[in-house]
Amino acid sequence: MIKNLSIYLLIALLLSLNVFAQHKAIQIAFLADVHFQDLYGNFSDNTFRGVENLKTKKKTLLRTMDSQLHSTRIFNENYFAFLAALDDVAKRGIKIVALPGDYTDDGQAYNLRGLKQILNEYEKKYGMRFFITTGNHDPVSPFLKDGGKDDFLGENGSPVNIFSNKNLVQNNGQETFITKDIAMSGYLEIMNELKEFGFFPAEKDLFWETPFNHNSYKDYSFKNALKSSEYSNRMYEVSHGFSVPDLSYVVEPVKGIWLLAIDGNTYLPKNINGNPTNPDNFHGASVGYNNVLTNKKHLIDWVKNISKEAEKNHKVLIAFTHYPMLDYNDGVSEDIKNLLGENKWQLDRVPDDQVAQVFADAGLKLHFAGHMHINDTGIKKFENGKMLVNIQVPSLAAYLPGYKILTVNSPADFEVETVSITDVPRFDELFPLYLKEFDVLKSQNIKDIWNLDILKTKNYHDFTLFHLKELVRLRFVPSDWPKDFIKKASKLSGEDLLYLSIGIANSNKINVGNFKTWNFEDALLNLYQLQSADELAKKDIPEKRLSQFKILHENFEKVNTEDEFLNQLKTFFKILNKLSSGDPADHFKIDFKKREILNL
């Protein structure tokens, strides 16, 4: 009997491996942080359609250039980048596409409709299937919430208000438009609008489940799955007396592959004595998994069950959510804290080490995330032999724009490729409208006006790099960096930095060479490039300069001083060095049997 059982199990294992051996390797595209805003959308209750673009003769609902150059994300041109990425996915013949949250920029109804229309078009034309999970921008709160923006571009080049409630308008000197379609949707509205993209089961799925209806794979039925997908059946208590939805699900879209879409949003109440259905009585969810460990523990138990069920039935489990499971700063988080301070650089979003431990123990091995708008690979190996790999998918709305392709060669052999989106058709379509905005700002003598040269960029890659450069100047430096440090460092050339790293006494012994060709502000931008794009940024930074950064790091490490400024420079180049030498993040192979990642 035991002998027959062993033979049966061996045959089952061989059959599962045969799925990958006999068929073409399965590929999945991951597009994170699209932040889609429908430039050509309509409001259902207001006739305002935006500004007429004389170049295209089309009305356009766009945000101002000034607003997007103060934001970590682009608001307008990413519309075209999203289409370019989908076209690239289609050209490669990839049929499964996962969107790990923030697919809209606050879940407004008109943006949800526009996104749905585009996804439906690509499904119909190319046979693609889309699977989404939630982000901190969709939804912003668990329940429908009034909202709007005061930085849409008006006809004369000045900003206009668009809000769902006139009581939210603060700048009454601007023209104002009121529409319910710019309110920030809650879970219910998002689920109903986008239910066909994973939130509800499809009859063609081989398996589908939520954390609230765990059944064995062999007992699966579409009828029961459909019932469990209903909104009322997907609630949990995030805090005593506060019930909110959890839209997590697992799906088997093709034989052998289980996509685990984790809703990592944890909306904690501001006032536990307040109204549990008031959307304003909840904190945002941007902290991510740290709050899951304390207030969403049912997810951990469910992941354990799913991992066991996947292993039992020889399924490859691939998890994705909006939030990272591992530190994505290449080991420099403490150094950043020492240089900038406790609450800078969005360090509150870095997951605790316990997050990786908990989910690795639950059975996860491979996890894709967004949220940080960066390209990165995080690897954590544990003493018990387990390994967790966290893949940070770059945003299409920031430098360096791109997406990830996962190729499943076998249950233990994976290939990950990063596709950069450089050339985007129509990326400059809105440039004439920005000229009107610039002229208005110039006439008003606005301080720190954005740099008009961004409208001279030749492709989308260069546009996002310019966006990052302006973002550093207009937002990151003023908000994150010590003023005295920046004031001193900004005056330094690469040559000055070299002298400081070795001491004036040794200055006659060195050849400054190409150190003269760059300054500290160049190095600061390069630091942000490496933090955003990892090794892909090296294509945009001169190779000699990178080697000079390494020399400066090595020199400063030998400096033993109590001088605060020199120690700050020492930490700065330590951070720069670590960010330029992280794990493979472009094109690489993951071998879980050997517990290694190899560059390809």
Side-chain angles (χ1 to χ4, degrees):
M1 177 71 180
I2 294 175
K3 182 178 179 182
N4 289 339
L5 181 61
S6 299
I7 293 172
Y8 171 78
L9 291 173
L10 179 61
I11 291 172
L13 176 61
L14 291 173
L15 285 173
S16 71
L17 293 174
N18 213 29
V19 171
F20 301 96
Q22 289 187 352
H23 300 282
K24 182 181 177 182
I26 296 167
Q27 290 190 308
I28 304 166
F30 290 85
L31 279 65
D33 296 278
V34 174
H35 287 283
F36 176 84
Q37 295 196 100
D38 194 357
L39 295 175
Y40 307 107
N42 297 316
F43 298 133
S44 61
D45 57 354
N46 195 302
T47 58
F48 181 68
R49 297 291 178 265
V51 187
E52 183 174 355
N53 188 341
L54 296 178
K55 182 178 178 180
T56 62
K57 307 301 180 186
K58 291 163 67 174
K59 290 281 189 177
T60 311
L61 280 167
L62 77 159
R63 310 272 288 278
T64 63
M65 176 65 81
D66 185 66
S67 66
Q68 64 181 4
L69 291 183
H70 282 83
S71 171
T72 55
R73 58 198 181 275
I74 290 165
F75 296 136
N76 304 321
E77 284 67 28
N78 50 312
Y79 175 97
F80 306 112
F82 182 43
L83 297 178
L86 290 176
D87 287 340
D88 191 78
V89 170
K91 191 190 306 180
R92 295 169 185 266
I94 299 172
K95 302 301 182 185
I96 302 174
V97 182
L99 279 69
D102 282 8
Y103 30 83
T104 68
D105 200 60
D106 286 349
Q108 302 95 334
Y110 83 101
N111 288 327
L112 292 172
R113 290 195 298 266
L115 177 70
K116 179 181 179 180
Q117 181 180 351
I118 288 173
L119 298 186
N120 282 337
E121 287 173 0
Y122 278 84
E123 279 190 333
K124 185 176 180 180
K125 188 173 182 180
Y126 299 106
M128 292 179 179
R129 292 199 66 195
F130 295 93
F131 298 93
I132 63 179
T133 189
T134 56
N136 60 303
H137 281 273
D138 33 40
V140 171
S141 170
F143 308 113
L144 178 66
K145 181 177 180 178
D146 275 319
K149 306 292 179 184
D150 62 2
D151 55 20
F152 279 86
L153 192 63
E155 197 67 57
N156 67 354
S158 297
V160 299
N161 302 311
I162 305 182
F163 284 89
S164 61
N165 187 324
K166 65 180 180 180
N167 294 326
L168 294 178
V169 177
Q170 293 184 346
N171 191 341
N172 291 301
Q174 295 182 175
E175 191 174 7
T176 298
F177 301 92
I178 303 298
T179 170
K180 66 180 182 181
D181 287 355
I182 204 163
M184 298 178 283
S185 298
Y187 273 110
L188 179 62
E189 293 77 23
I190 289 173
M191 185 184 79
N192 286 339
E193 191 69 52
L194 303 178
K195 60 185 177 183
E196 63 201 85
F197 307 119
F199 285 145
F200 275 41
E203 285 196 72
K204 64 178 79 172
D205 295 330
L206 303 173
F207 182 65
W208 189 94
E209 179 184 294
T210 78
F212 308 104
N213 73 316
H214 183 62
N215 294 305
S216 66
Y217 178 65
K218 64 181 180 64
D219 294 329
Y220 175 72
S221 79
F222 172 68
K223 182 179 178 181
N224 290 339
L226 197 59
K227 179 67 177 174
S228 67
S229 68
E230 293 175 5
Y231 182 76
S232 59
N233 294 327
R234 302 171 83 167
M235 309 293 284
Y236 76 102
E237 202 170 58
V238 68
S239 187
H240 181 66
F242 287 79
S243 291
V244 296
D246 175 358
L247 295 192
S248 301
Y249 63 91
V250 65
V251 62
E252 185 174 4
V254 294
K255 188 173 178 61
I257 299 293
W258 279 15
L259 281 178
L260 181 61
I262 299 175
D263 174 1
N265 289 344
T266 309
Y267 296 99
L268 302 180
K270 294 177 181 177
N271 179 4
I272 59 172
N273 296 315
N275 186 343
T277 61
N278 178 2
D280 293 316
N281 192 29
F282 290 89
H283 292 286
S286 62
V287 170
Y289 274 113
N290 290 341
N291 287 340
V292 169
L293 296 190
T294 57
N295 291 73
K296 211 171 182 178
K297 294 180 180 179
H298 70 273
L299 264 184
I300 300 166
D301 294 332
W302 180 60
V303 170
K304 284 180 184 177
N305 289 330
I306 287 297
S307 298
K308 289 176 183 176
E309 194 73 14
E311 185 176 9
K312 176 183 174 182
N313 292 283
H314 313 294
K315 308 296 182 182
V316 176
L317 184 63
I318 301 157
F320 71 100
T321 190
H322 188 55
Y323 305 101
M325 278 189 175
L326 288 170
D327 190 330
Y328 43 80
N329 283 325
D330 293 321
V332 300
S333 291
E334 279 301 313
D335 299 308
I336 292 170
K337 190 184 298 182
N338 291 336
L339 180 59
L340 304 185
E342 187 80 28
N343 300 313
K344 305 296 184 180
W345 201 280
Q346 297 183 320
L347 289 177
D348 61 323
R349 297 184 173 194
V350 176
D352 295 337
D353 289 341
Q354 188 185 2
V355 170
Q357 181 74 62
V358 165
F359 280 97
D361 288 344
L364 289 192
K365 297 178 180 179
L366 185 57
H367 178 264
F368 286 78
H371 193 38
M372 299 312 302
H373 300 185
I374 64 172
N375 175 52
D376 183 69
T377 304
I379 307 162
K380 186 76 171 178
K381 296 178 181 178
F382 300 92
E383 292 181 0
N384 59 8
K386 293 183 177 181
M387 181 173 81
L388 177 64
V389 179
N390 181 80
I391 309 293
Q392 284 299 129
V393 183
S395 171
L396 288 167
Y399 176 85
L400 192 144
Y403 70 96
K404 298 280 187 179
I405 298 173
L406 173 69
T407 303
V408 184
N409 295 315
S410 79
D413 181 12
F414 300 86
E415 181 181 331
V416 178
E417 180 182 359
T418 312
V419 180
S420 298
I421 301 299
T422 299
D423 295 309
V424 171
R426 301 168 59 195
F427 90 96
D428 57 354
E429 187 168 298
L430 310 178
F431 284 12
L433 298 175
Y434 297 134
L435 284 172
K436 294 174 69 175
E437 175 195 346
F438 185 86
D439 288 341
V440 170
L441 292 173
K442 192 175 180 181
S443 69
Q444 296 171 343
N445 296 315
I446 300 294
K447 185 182 177 182
D448 290 331
I449 191 171
W450 51 269
N451 191 335
L452 192 62
D453 287 344
I454 193 171
L455 303 185
K456 296 178 182 178
T457 51
K458 301 300 182 184
N459 56 50
Y460 188 60
H461 167 277
D462 292 352
F463 181 84
T464 60
L465 179 54
F466 208 111
H467 170 263
L468 178 63
K469 185 178 179 180
E470 286 290 87
L471 186 59
V472 171
R473 179 176 73 90
L474 297 172
R475 174 172 166 175
F476 290 155
V477 167
S479 65
D480 280 0
W481 290 80
K483 287 182 172 59
D484 288 345
F485 173 70
I486 289 295
K487 185 177 180 180
K488 293 177 183 177
S490 296
K491 298 174 183 178
L492 301 176
S493 66
E495 180 182 4
D496 296 329
L497 289 162
L498 181 59
Y499 287 146
L500 287 172
S501 75
I502 62 172
I504 299 299
N506 299 312
S507 62
N508 61 343
K509 301 177 183 178
I510 62 169
N511 178 11
V512 297
N514 287 329
F515 280 84
K516 293 182 177 181
T517 63
W518 58 272
N519 57 34
F520 175 80
E521 290 184 347
D522 295 321
L524 182 60
L525 174 61
N526 295 158
L527 182 144
Y528 277 102
Q529 286 177 260
L530 289 163
Q531 189 254 349
S532 299
D534 208 288
E535 63 181 288
L536 292 174
K538 294 179 180 179
K539 298 174 183 178
D540 295 325
I541 305 170
E543 190 174 346
K544 283 186 178 179
R545 190 186 301 175
L546 289 168
S547 64
Q548 288 164 357
F549 290 160
K550 189 173 182 65
I551 291 170
L552 289 170
H553 163 64
E554 292 170 351
N555 288 349
F556 275 115
E557 283 297 300
K558 298 172 186 175
V559 173
N560 186 10
T561 179
E562 294 184 3
D563 184 282
E564 182 184 19
F565 181 60
L566 287 179
N567 281 323
Q568 286 174 318
L569 287 174
K570 182 177 182 177
T571 304
F572 176 87
F573 282 101
K574 182 180 181 182
I575 293 170
L576 194 50
N577 183 67
K578 285 184 178 180
L579 289 176
S580 64
S581 52
D583 292 306
D586 181 8
H587 190 188
F588 52 93
K589 175 183 177 181
I590 306 172
D591 189 328
F592 281 101
K593 281 186 178 179
K594 296 181 179 179
R595 299 177 76 212
E596 64 181 16
I597 291 185
L598 301 173
N599 254 320
L600 294 175

